[in-house]
Amino acid sequence: MARGLPDYRLIAAQIEALAEEDAAWVPLLANASALMMDGVDNLNWAGFYLMRPVGADAAGNVERELVLGPFQGKVACVRIAVGRGVCGTAVATDSTQLVRDVHEFAGHIACDSASNSEVVVPIHAGGRVVGVLDVDSPLVGRFGEADARGMEAVVAAIERCCDFEGLA
Ligand code: SME
């Protein structure tokens, strides 16, 4: 049976409406992961990883890694280094990763063995990447370019309305 494109614009609008009540990142991203899980078919995981300091280099530049944030799905890996896996690659390259088959992505980190395809979109605030939206499906090839663009619209809504205060 033909499957329509999920209504990513509706999800984006719902996130912006929720932010009018409370824009803090914990409640907003918690509900955003629920909206993605409800509104996008054939997902086994939807959520966020957020950048957190791990120290500083010799020059005093803060080094960061991704740490698990609000999500829906099975227990997931807690920390991901920048440049590692699909999430770390999205941060290192500051670009959306659309992965048709995760088993063909060198360095993919398998949190849930049910995952076969994945989209990761970087989130920006204050001129830098502060985290990623990560969405996994048990179906190979579940996501196309239109899904990636739709998820970028969801992230754009988050970038407009989410208050990341308290996130170092
Ligand atoms: N597969 C991701 C890890 C996070 S889980 O999918 C929730 C990656 O390779 O970065």
Side-chain angles (χ1 to χ4, degrees), residues 25-48:
W25 64 269
V26 171
L28 194 64
L29 298 186
N31 270 331
S33 58
L35 286 168
M36 289 294 290
M37 206 63 164
D38 265 353
V40 182
D41 54 298
N42 289 304
L43 301 187
N44 60 302
W45 204 93
F48 298 88

Side-chain angles (χ1 to χ4, degrees), residues 22-148:
D22 195 325
W25 64 269
V26 171
L28 194 64
L29 298 186
N31 270 331
S33 58
L35 286 168
M36 289 294 290
M37 206 63 164
D38 265 353
V40 182
D41 54 298
N42 289 304
L43 301 187
N44 60 302
W45 204 93
F48 298 88
Y49 280 87
L50 299 160
M51 296 292 277
R52 197 170 76 175
V54 278
D57 65 15
N61 300 309
V62 176
E63 290 174 358
R64 293 182 168 83
E65 66 183 357
L66 289 167
V67 178
L68 184 63
F71 72 96
Q72 301 247 318
K74 285 193 179 168
V75 170
C77 36
V78 176
R79 294 189 184 87
I80 300 175
V82 172
R84 286 207 56 231
V86 184
C87 292
T89 300
V91 174
T93 60
D94 192 1
S95 63
T96 298
Q97 302 296 303
L98 169 56
V99 183
R100 193 190 153 276
D101 182 346
V102 296
H103 307 289
E104 292 174 356
F105 188 100
H108 165 256
I109 300 164
C111 292
D112 181 348
S113 61
S115 297
N116 278 314
S117 58
E118 181 165 6
V119 176
V120 179
V121 181
I123 304 168
H124 305 84
R128 65 180 175 88
V129 176
V130 293
V132 297
L133 165 66
D134 180 12
V135 178
D136 288 26
S137 171
L139 304 181
V140 172
R142 160 65 187 83
F143 309 111
E145 288 292 340
D147 293 283

